[in-house]
Amino acid sequence: MITKIVLAIGGLFVAGMVLLLVVFGWSSSNAQQTNGECSMLIIERKIEPANAATEHRRACMASRG
């Protein structure tokens, strides 16, 4: 009986860790994709000064969450 409880708690812990890793992986992937899209917009719009490009990227990233 105690063994089943310990295994159930261990299984829940492992499942929680896997879920946490999946969520963080998806979030990181989404941020990288958004950063790439914003970088492409800077290139397409030919925003030259570094400070203007930085402000544009910051505004673009903020608008996309």
Side-chain angles (χ1 to χ4, degrees):
M1 180 73 161
I2 293 175
T3 307
K4 288 182 181 179
I5 293 173
V6 169
L7 286 174
I9 291 173
L12 287 174
F13 178 75
V14 169
M17 294 304 287
V18 168
L19 181 63
L20 188 67
L21 289 173
V22 167
V23 168
F24 277 119
W26 174 77
S27 176
S28 176
S29 174
N30 191 28
Q32 289 175 350
Q33 181 179 354
T34 301
N35 187 31
E37 290 172 359
C38 290
S39 294
M40 289 305 296
L41 285 174
I42 290 170
I43 292 169
E44 288 174 0
R45 293 179 182 168
K46 298 179 182 170
I47 300 174
E48 281 299 319
N51 61 349
T54 301
E55 289 302 318
H56 187 274
R57 177 176 285 112
R58 187 175 296 137
C60 179
M61 293 291 286
S63 71
R64 294 176 187 223

